[in-house]
Amino acid sequence: MPNSQANRVDLIIGGAGFAGLALAIALRQALGERFAITVADPALAQTPSKDPRSTAIAAAARRLFEAIGVWDAVADGAQPILDMVVTDSKLDDAVRPTFLTFGGDVEEGEPFAHMIENRHLIDALVACAKDAGIDLRATAVASFDTAPNSVTALLADGSEIKARLLVGADGARSAIREHAGIAFHGWSYNQSGIVTTVAHERPHHGCAEEHFLPAGPFAILPLTGNRVSIVWTEASHEADRIVALPDEEFHAELEKRFGLHLGDIKVVGPRRAFPLGLYTARSFIGERLALIGDAAHVIHPIAGQGLNMGLRDVAALAEAIADAARLGLDIGGLQVLERYQRWRRFDTMTMGVATDGLNKLFSNHSDVLRLARDVGLGMVERVPALKRVFIREAAGITGDVPKLMRGEMV
Amino acid sequence: MNIAGNSIDRGEVERFGRMAARWWDERGPMAPLHKLNPVRVGYIRDQVAAHFGRDPLTLGSLADLRILDIGCGAGILSEPLARLGATMVGVDPAEENIAVARAHADEQDLTIDYRATTAEAVAEGGETFDVVLAMEVVEHVVNVEEFVATCASMVKPGGLMIAATLNRTLKSFALAIVGAEYVLRWLPRGTHQWDKFVTPRELERAIEATGLDVIGERGVIFNPLADRWQLSSDMDVNYMLVARKEGQHAVPENAVGISE
């Protein structure tokens, strides 16, 4: 009988995405070698990572990566967003009036966000986790059993690991969440985001653009060199049709929306459509279980806040666990879990509702709504203090911010 | 399974296991004590770390310190301190508490020397400790002066005594009458009698009469909005107090292999 003697660790994390790896590294740094952590994810077999997507890293998220020591490894490949332009237009408008621009510094010399390619960040996190002595397993958490004082994770490769706490960081379709029987409530927008990487002729000067087209937001996000990542919202059936188009026709559809301001453009990455929705787990915690990142909540990418929210989970949970461990208390106990849940749930709901409202406001053909949002954006543009609040909110540094998100160690 | 030579009766273990689940159930009858625990463990850890020159944020902050937990119950305080590296001795006169404590520590892979005995008996045996804890017990003893003297006699030179108890004030009287949940209800009704509560002044006098110096005191209040206990300057109801014994303290540099 293999593995009748389960491996014993303090913490097992199912999922080696940004959230899972960042949590493991932060805790290992805070608590040292006496604190044993296992991270399990089949994606760990794939090094270097082949994830074609790019992600906006808000200032607070960057501070977390700095605090855990992985930012230096990816800084060269990160493109600061130095400026942001928001327009509101119909597809065939010759000129898109600009209603909002952001000079994008949170503090002097600190851009409110960077764009980074996922694979760079994942590779840096994996390397850092290895250096820190975290046990990485290229297999999934298939299921788990909870006992009064421990949780035993059963891995897909047949091994068992016993821990005080299990963290579900295995994404929007979390198997761990499902196994725990925690419902995932929300709705699909019947919209999908078409994502790809585009090379262009003229430099973008670090300027991000968000065009509120009738079908939904079309975002152009600068990467290093003359490249941008695009997130292009369409009704789901339309998105699927566009993604399946032959290259030339896809290019034509893209150009119609992208415009010509950066010169000639060329698609240089794979194109994929991701369905958009707003979902939140009925609870972020269970018996000896905490959910973080997309396993706990999925929001509309309109404001680029998805990763930022996931990292806020990481920062809050890391702090709750570290505080308890340093008191010799049970890190999988009710008090740790409730502290985490109290800390994160309200914030998550607020952000979810805000981005939902934003999306409904902007994904609309009504001229009345269009006038209203233009007046609103115009006002934000004219009142510097209000704009500053928006920038700080987008950067994720408002509210009761956990230490890691302030760039401090837990 | 090899049980040869094991004197533990399985039936007993299971019975105590079930009771341990009650004691240790964070939603059970001891919930208020579990909620209080982080604050008092934090106070103890910080006072002890500061006194003995340790980093309170490392996982082994209490390594090699010998600590006595008087009135340890099922070990809600002893276990976290043991996890921080302390060599724990827990005493409680109630046999069943000790059995529950042993069963639970065993499950946690913690080594704690639990004894069904009294502080007086330990003192008579001549044992001494780096830290002597009298948390939530002073209000139960018949004679505060004698009890404090017993505790103080077990503190090594340069060591600490830390006590937590309830103040005898109008506020605590009012709370006792209404049986306010997070103040007095974590033990069976009747366990706490308001007229046995001890004021900080009385406790200080008793401690200083033994030659120890009181070096710090802190109130503990319940914040119902945050649903947790916190340290406070308000000592009207719950408070903690730390005292030091004169002398040169010698912590073994390496506890392994030391024999007396």
Side-chain angles (χ1 to χ4, degrees):
Chain A
M1 199 175 83
N3 302 305
S4 62
Q5 195 67 25
N7 247 322
R8 259 195 117 114
V9 296
D10 292 291
L11 176 67
I12 176 155
I13 300 170
F18 297 144
L21 289 169
L23 178 69
I25 296 166
L27 282 171
R28 186 72 169 189
Q29 285 176 353
L31 300 171
E33 287 180 9
R34 291 177 64 151
F35 193 80
I37 306 171
T38 295
V39 180
D41 190 331
L44 286 166
Q46 196 186 68
T47 50
S49 162
K50 293 193 177 67
D51 191 330
R53 291 168 295 174
S54 297
T55 299
I57 309 277
R62 199 206 65 243
R63 289 179 193 180
L64 180 143
F65 289 126
E66 271 173 3
I68 65 172
V70 299
W71 186 252
D72 280 352
V74 296
D76 287 347
Q79 170 64 47
I81 297 181
L82 302 171
D83 201 1
M84 196 160 103
V85 172
V86 179
T87 75
D88 186 12
S89 38
K90 291 178 183 165
L91 198 52
D92 49 5
D93 285 353
V95 175
R96 291 175 180 169
T98 298
F99 285 100
L100 195 58
T101 59
F102 289 101
D105 284 5
V106 183
E107 308 272 345
E108 193 63 36
E110 184 180 11
F112 74 88
H114 284 77
M115 282 303 295
I116 192 164
E117 287 154 273
N118 289 11
R119 58 199 170 90
H120 293 161
L121 191 50
I122 289 290
D123 289 345
L125 285 163
V126 169
C128 186
K130 266 187 194 144
D131 284 350
I134 292 159
D135 173 34
L136 300 175
R137 309 274 184 108
T139 182
V141 172
S143 69
F144 58 91
D145 289 318
T146 307
N149 293 303
S150 64
V151 54
T152 302
L154 312 163
L155 305 188
D157 66 5
S159 55
E160 289 185 9
I161 296 177
K162 195 171 177 182
R164 297 196 155 272
L165 177 66
L166 169 67
V167 171
D170 52 345
R173 287 188 297 268
S174 169
I176 292 172
R177 183 188 67 226
E178 203 149 286
H179 186 80
I182 297 172
F184 207 41
H185 292 306
W187 53 85
S188 159
Y189 291 109
N190 297 316
Q191 285 177 325
S192 293
I194 302 169
V195 177
T196 192
T197 303
V198 174
H200 46 84
E201 201 179 3
R202 290 199 286 273
H204 50 55
H205 298 297
C207 181
E209 301 172 37
E210 188 137 21
H211 302 290
F212 288 106
L213 303 178
F218 180 92
I220 300 175
L221 303 157
L223 299 174
T224 50
N226 281 1
R227 295 180 310 146
V228 293
S229 169
I230 61 153
V231 183
W232 166 7
T233 316
E234 291 287 346
S236 289
H237 59 90
E238 179 68 359
D240 292 342
R241 186 189 69 80
I242 291 172
V243 166
L245 287 173
D247 289 355
E248 263 174 48
E249 289 176 47
F250 181 82
H251 183 91
E253 290 286 346
L254 174 66
E255 203 167 54
K256 208 159 38 166
R257 291 161 178 84
F258 196 99
L260 299 166
H261 57 295
L262 294 177
D264 279 345
I265 58 171
K266 188 180 167 206
V267 175
V268 292
R271 55 203 200 211
R272 302 218 315 241
F274 296 91
L276 305 179
L278 172 66
Y279 297 96
T280 180
R282 189 173 154 70
S283 172
F284 287 8
I285 59 174
E287 289 292 324
R288 301 210 164 260
L289 172 69
L291 300 174
I292 62 173
D294 288 353
H297 44 72
V298 169
I299 61 167
H300 195 284
I302 189 167
Q305 293 297 316
L307 171 74
N308 198 29
M309 293 216 338
L311 292 178
R312 274 197 184 218
D313 298 345
V314 168
L317 184 58
E319 201 168 325
I321 290 174
D323 284 354
R326 286 170 175 150
L327 291 174
L329 298 171
D330 182 356
I331 63 151
L334 195 62
Q335 293 197 60
V336 172
L337 293 172
E338 283 185 343
R339 183 176 168 206
Y340 165 64
Q341 164 128 304
R342 260 201 309 275
W343 208 341
R344 292 300 304 141
R345 250 184 100 73
F346 177 73
D347 188 34
T348 305
M349 295 303 285
T350 321
M351 183 61 81
V353 168
T355 52
D356 183 52
L358 216 51
N359 184 53
K360 288 200 171 122
L361 179 62
F362 283 106
S363 297
N364 206 298
H365 295 265
S366 153
D367 283 335
V368 177
L369 267 184
R370 191 172 161 195
L371 181 68
R373 68 199 183 220
D374 290 349
V375 169
L377 286 179
M379 277 178 62
V380 174
E381 175 65 15
R382 278 168 194 79
V383 183
L386 200 54
K387 204 157 127 179
R388 188 148 185 85
V389 169
F390 269 50
I391 291 177
R392 292 183 73 83
E393 187 63 49
I397 52 177
T398 57
D400 181 13
V401 185
K403 279 185 192 159
L404 277 168
M405 297 300 265
R406 299 193 301 248
E408 296 165 25
M409 297 288 288
V410 288
Chain B
M1 189 185 292
N2 172 27
I3 53 166
N6 192 335
S7 62
I8 294 171
D9 178 315
R10 296 306 300 175
E12 286 290 277
V13 171
E14 274 167 31
R15 187 165 67 83
F16 290 129
R18 278 198 299 278
M19 288 173 57
R22 277 314 267 167
W23 255 95
W24 283 91
D25 180 358
E26 289 183 81
R27 295 184 186 88
M30 290 299 168
L33 195 55
H34 284 285
K35 281 223 162 103
L36 175 67
N37 219 25
V39 172
R40 57 183 195 161
V41 174
Y43 184 76
I44 292 166
R45 179 197 68 182
D46 291 348
Q47 294 295 324
V48 172
H51 184 73
F52 293 106
R54 306 294 182 88
D55 175 359
L57 298 185
T58 62
L59 290 190
S61 56
L62 306 182
D64 303 338
L65 292 171
R66 207 168 128 76
I67 300 181
L68 174 66
D69 178 9
I70 299 170
C72 63
I76 290 176
L77 181 61
S78 287
E79 280 197 12
L81 299 178
R83 253 186 229 114
L84 294 178
T87 305
M88 291 302 302
V89 176
V91 300
D92 196 294
E95 292 270 3
E96 55 187 26
N97 283 353
I98 289 299
V100 172
R102 281 182 185 144
H104 196 268
D106 199 41
E107 225 173 278
Q108 305 284 316
D109 289 334
L110 290 171
T111 307
I112 296 173
D113 181 359
Y114 284 120
R115 305 179 198 168
T117 185
T118 61
E120 287 71 19
V122 177
E124 277 162 24
E127 283 181 71
T128 57
F129 300 86
D130 299 304
V131 182
V132 172
L133 302 174
M135 309 299 282
E136 279 77 46
V137 289
V138 179
E139 67 272 24
H140 302 290
V141 304
V142 180
N143 183 318
V144 173
E145 285 80 8
E146 280 177 19
F147 174 74
V148 167
T150 302
C151 294
S153 73
M154 290 185 282
V155 179
K156 285 184 190 169
L160 295 180
M161 171 181 167
I162 302 177
T165 190
L166 289 154
N167 197 352
R168 194 175 66 253
T169 59
L170 263 179
K171 203 198 264 184
S172 68
F173 181 72
L175 290 166
I177 296 296
V178 299
E181 184 170 7
Y182 286 105
V183 183
L184 304 163
R185 273 219 311 236
W186 62 64
L187 290 170
R189 276 171 203 283
T191 309
H192 284 88
Q193 291 168 286
W194 179 78
D195 55 6
K196 288 179 79 176
F197 291 0
V198 185
T199 66
R201 185 67 57 80
E202 289 163 353
L203 188 54
E204 276 163 37
R205 264 207 305 267
I207 290 173
E208 306 220 313
T210 69
L212 270 62
D213 296 319
V214 174
I215 57 174
E217 51 186 31
R218 248 357 218 142
V220 188
I221 59 167
F222 183 70
N223 178 342
L225 288 180
D227 191 30
R228 64 187 172 101
W229 291 87
Q230 58 197 47
L231 294 178
S232 162
S233 56
D234 175 1
M235 297 177 51
D236 283 354
V237 183
N238 294 77
Y239 67 96
M240 299 188 283
L241 192 150
V242 56
R244 175 185 185 279
K245 185 178 265 190
E246 280 289 324
Q248 193 62 40
H249 183 265
V251 181
E253 277 178 28
N254 179 1
V256 179
I258 285 184
S259 54
E260 292 178 356

